[in-house]
Amino acid sequence: MFVDSHCHLSFPELQSQLPEIRRQMADAGVDRALCICTTLEEFEDVHALAMGYDNFWASAGVHPDTENLAEPTVARLLELAARPKVVGIGETGLDYYDMEGRKGGRTVADMEWQRDRFRAHIRAARQCGKPLIIHTRSASDDTIAILKEEGEDGSPGAAGGVFHCFTETMEVARAALDLGFHVSFSGILTFKNAADLREVARFVPADRLLIETDSPYLAPVPFRGKTNTPALVPYVARQIAELRGLAVEEVGELTSRNFETLFSGVQS
Ligand code: NI
């Protein structure tokens, strides 16, 4: 069996196909999925998925790319984290990618609001004891530094969590592991140009590995460019199995176990 540790089933292109997607998941042996929240406005839809289906869970958080929508406070995040079936805080983190274009020519110094928002998530996670779901893009130094400043060092009492949809270097993977975090790989791992990333996937200890789709984005080869769904997560597992000389079922089992260790209450 397989777990999709990060998907966006509340997005309209997936939500509208839910019965079909659930059938495909069952056929593919994908027995659980974590539905990820990216805005406070979206939370109720994400949460409704978790409440509507035994094998779905939800997170609470605001993506670093979300702008001009409600800003999360620690108190608000804690309130949402206390709702049933909310098992993680995020996705949160930092995204400095394409400051010239996407960020309207702002500088890293102008992104203090992202760093403040990230700190609010870390503080909430540490208070409620639920793990962080981290998105980091072109911002790994600050992501690691802020986690450390907020006390995340892998010690008992730390929130911990996962660096999701990992696309960073070996050095960043080491830093994340040193802080006690898990590392999650998406369909990007199957892309032709991802040779360096495949080295990282070979290196991450077996007890810290997770798999995900980040659907509807990033469909794995041979579906690249199509709408992704949790039913395709075994293709990520297959790539890892190939890299590590394991059977695909073994990767499904070990990543399912890791999912249960990291997120409490997600036992099938
Ligand atoms: Ni995501």
Side-chain angles (χ1 to χ4, degrees), residues 46-165:
V46 176
H47 190 244
L49 286 164
M51 296 309 285
Y53 301 95
D54 283 351
N55 59 345
F56 288 167
W57 287 267
S59 73
V62 178
H63 193 288
D65 277 338
T66 300
E67 291 194 60
N68 307 315
L69 290 173
E71 192 60 36
T73 60
V74 174
R76 182 83 182 114
L77 289 167
L78 286 172
E79 200 180 299
L80 299 178
R83 303 270 293 272
K85 295 196 84 180
V86 176
V87 296
I89 302 295
E91 59 182 288
T92 181
L94 299 175
D95 194 326
Y96 301 159
Y97 178 70
D98 190 15
M99 298 292 296
E100 272 314 302
R102 292 163 73 244
K103 301 295 179 196
R106 285 173 289 178
T107 66
V108 166
D110 295 326
M111 305 307 278
E112 195 59 24
W113 59 274
Q114 260 194 9
R115 293 184 284 275
D116 289 345
R117 181 187 292 171
F118 184 29
R119 288 182 196 278
H121 284 81
I122 301 169
R123 287 171 194 177
R126 291 171 63 80
Q127 275 186 52
C128 68
K130 294 188 176 175
L132 287 155
I133 297 142
I134 307 271
H135 167 109
T136 183
R137 186 154 69 147
S138 307
S140 55
D141 287 354
D142 280 4
T143 300
I144 298 285
I146 289 175
L147 283 168
K148 283 186 186 162
E149 282 167 25
E150 294 293 327
E152 283 301 297
D153 55 4
S155 61
V162 54
F163 277 56
H164 110 88
C165 195

Side-chain angles (χ1 to χ4, degrees), residues 6-8 36 38 63 91 135 164-165 212 214-215 217:
H6 189 118
C7 58
H8 298 280
I36 301 294
T38 62
H63 193 288
E91 59 182 288
H135 167 109
H164 110 88
C165 195
E212 66 174 83
D214 208 9
S215 51
Y217 312 119

